Amino acid sequence: MDIEERLQDVKGKIAKAEKYAKRPAGSATLVAVSKTFDADAIRPVIAAGQRVFGENRVQESQGKWPDLKAETAGIELHLIGPLQSNKAADAIALFDVIETVDREKIARALAEEMTKQGKTPKLYVQVNTGLEPQKAGIAPKETKAFVEFCRKDLGLSIEGLMCIPPAEENPGPHFALLEKLARECGVEKLSMGMSGDFETAVEFGATSVRVGSAIFGAR
């Protein structure tokens, strides 16, 4: 399949999973993960109608997305990789959604930069559902308190939660945990599911799924 066919295949699987889970059509948004791919590889996906994209690194994104956004109206760019506090200003300037708020230092840096720049990207808290030491994210038991800190102490509007389940585990229980935490925190958005498990994520309530290789091919 070419890239447009792969994109349509993924969209079709999302629609089928929505129907299976008795969810409204279009309730799960596809975030096409374009990390490591250059602008020329991304343009055909934009031409095929995709408008929501995800990137892992601020610096890499700065090299391609300002031009791509200028070329096509309506692009929504998500930061789905780790964010360092010294990149907070650049992230606020470029991204529409930042999914990886995972510690107090980052939350404070984002709050400061949002005030400075007068911009309000949507913010998600990343939860380390598997408690993996090598992976970023707030521990599940600390999530509610952290969301409240972001809201009450920093005035941040936290709209969603995000997770990346351990690669070797059944993702279902992790998705179920994130959905439970979202209800406890009073947030509506759930970013969960990647190329290997996005259909399962939709069934567990994902409002967005992050799919890269199934669209762009192997990196």
Side-chain angles (χ1 to χ4, degrees):
M1 291 190 289
D2 64 23
I3 203 162
E4 183 173 352
E5 289 172 327
R6 291 197 296 269
L7 175 65
Q8 296 309 321
D9 180 63
V10 169
K11 287 183 174 180
K13 288 176 178 176
I14 291 171
K16 188 175 180 180
E18 289 172 336
K19 187 174 181 180
Y20 178 80
K22 296 181 171 60
R23 295 181 58 190
S27 55
T29 297
L30 170 61
V31 180
V33 179
S34 48
K35 65 178 184 178
T36 76
F37 289 95
D38 63 18
D40 287 339
I42 297 167
R43 284 190 179 95
V45 183
I46 295 175
Q50 181 65 20
R51 292 293 179 269
V52 186
F53 291 84
E55 288 281 346
N56 263 38
R57 297 180 183 277
V58 175
Q59 192 167 352
E60 178 192 338
S61 304
Q62 288 175 309
K64 53 189 174 181
W65 280 104
D67 287 346
L68 289 169
K69 279 186 157 193
E71 291 168 12
T72 304
I75 296 290
E76 182 177 275
L77 189 60
H78 291 229
L79 178 63
I80 59 172
L83 177 61
Q84 302 301 317
S85 55
N86 64 350
K87 295 289 185 182
D90 293 336
I92 292 294
L94 181 59
F95 290 92
D96 304 291
V97 183
I98 296 173
E99 298 196 10
T100 49
V101 183
D102 65 351
R103 58 197 186 280
E104 183 177 325
K105 184 178 181 181
I106 285 296
R108 288 189 184 278
L110 290 172
E112 184 178 327
E113 282 301 328
M114 287 167 73
T115 300
K116 281 183 183 177
Q117 298 186 34
K119 297 187 73 174
T120 53
K122 298 171 185 175
L123 302 178
Y124 292 20
V125 166
Q126 182 172 353
V127 183
N128 188 347
T129 56
L131 293 173
E132 297 174 276
Q134 80 282 9
K135 194 173 284 181
I138 291 286
K141 67 180 181 181
E142 298 169 5
T143 301
K144 186 176 181 181
F146 181 67
V147 170
E148 289 179 357
F149 162 77
C150 289
R151 286 172 169 166
K152 294 178 181 178
D153 291 53
L154 302 180
L156 295 173
S157 177
I158 302 296
E159 299 199 4
L161 302 180
M162 179 267 238
C163 76
I164 306 171
E168 70 283 357
E169 293 185 19
N170 175 5
H174 295 272
F175 297 154
L177 173 58
L178 198 72
E179 192 277 332
K180 176 176 177 286
L181 290 170
R183 280 187 281 109
E184 290 176 358
C185 294
V187 301
E188 296 183 355
K189 303 293 186 181
L190 283 170
S191 173
M192 54 191 195
M194 298 186 289
S195 286
D197 56 20
F198 67 88
E199 292 160 283
T200 301
V202 172
E203 292 169 18
F204 277 91
T207 58
S208 61
V209 294
R210 310 178 305 272
V211 181
S213 58
I215 297 169
F216 289 95
R219 290 182 170 81

